[in-house]
Amino acid sequence: MMKKFLLSFILFLSAVCFATGCADEKMEEKTNDEVKANCSITECMKQIEATNTLEEINGIIGFESTTDAMIGSDPIWKFDSKNWISFKTNSNNEITIQATIDKESIKNDAIKLPSSSDLQKELNNGSFTYEELVEKVGGEGTLTSISKGSYSYTWVDKNGQRLGATFNKKSGKCTVASYR
């Protein structure tokens, strides 16, 4: 009888240790997948300049860039599966820093996007500045691209409609605006 009890107790203890050990291992694996950045993707973009080196951007973001064959061969800083920053160099060795940001995370119920035809009219009639567009739509855009000559911003309204606009650094005027 005592042997049966002792054997049952050892089996129970082994099962508890096994289950606890597996749970700790799974928890550790999940923790290792998390990215520890110095800032959110939107805050990091505000700190990065097109003149920054990869090492400087590593310092701003808080981790080193990698590459992802599914995204391309450019260096990227992957915050998670829906948010990353890429470092692109064109044939003239000009750098563009571009953020891919999950539109759900930047959706803003206060944004009222103008019609495509209204935007086109304004572009054709001398264009508009970032500040003028902010006033027109009712909120700040999210910085999504930086290059030597321009900045691009994205606005997402409550329905998930996305407006992207690129502004020339010298003139401050919008050069391209498009809906997605």
Side-chain angles (χ1 to χ4, degrees):
M1 179 78 167
M2 184 65 156
K3 276 186 175 181
K4 197 174 188 181
F5 173 76
L6 189 56
L7 185 57
S8 294
F9 179 75
I10 290 172
L11 286 173
F12 171 75
L13 189 57
S14 297
V16 168
C17 289
F18 178 76
T20 305
C22 289
D24 288 344
E25 188 176 307
K26 287 178 185 173
M27 194 69 137
E28 185 177 313
E29 284 175 22
K30 186 173 183 179
T31 303
N32 289 339
D33 289 342
E34 293 177 10
V35 176
K36 301 287 185 209
N38 292 336
C39 43
S40 69
I41 190 168
T42 55
E43 289 303 314
C44 286
M45 282 297 289
K46 291 176 185 177
Q47 296 177 42
I48 296 171
E49 296 291 330
T51 56
N52 288 134
T53 65
L54 287 171
E55 292 75 23
E56 290 169 332
I57 298 172
N58 287 341
I60 291 167
I61 295 174
F63 58 91
E64 291 189 19
S65 65
T66 60
T67 56
D68 186 326
M70 296 298 289
I71 299 170
S73 61
D74 298 316
I76 63 166
W77 293 266
K78 201 166 187 177
F79 289 72
D80 58 44
S81 64
K82 294 182 178 183
N83 298 283
W84 62 86
I85 296 174
S86 59
F87 183 96
K88 299 174 186 268
T89 306
N90 69 14
S91 59
N92 296 330
N93 284 330
E94 293 173 336
I95 296 167
T96 300
I97 310 299
Q98 187 164 352
T100 299
I101 302 173
D102 177 25
K103 74 177 183 176
E104 291 300 315
S105 69
I106 59 174
K107 191 184 283 189
N108 183 342
D109 291 349
I111 297 296
K112 304 286 185 242
L113 298 177
S115 71
S116 179
S117 60
D118 285 348
L119 270 180
Q120 191 59 50
K121 277 184 208 171
E122 289 190 44
L123 280 170
N124 293 341
N125 292 329
S127 193
F128 45 87
T129 65
Y130 171 78
E131 292 77 14
E132 290 168 336
L133 187 55
V134 166
E135 189 175 319
K136 182 181 225 30
V137 302
E140 297 280 328
T142 300
L143 181 62
T144 53
S145 182
I146 307 162
S147 70
K148 180 181 174 184
S150 66
Y151 290 107
S152 295
Y153 292 87
T154 300
W155 288 262
V156 180
D157 70 9
K158 66 182 177 186
N159 300 316
Q161 178 73 29
R162 190 180 337 195
L163 169 63
T166 301
F167 298 87
N168 180 288
K169 282 185 177 178
K170 270 188 183 172
S171 71
K173 297 286 187 168
C174 182
T175 55
V176 176
S178 63
Y179 285 97
R180 287 189 254 155

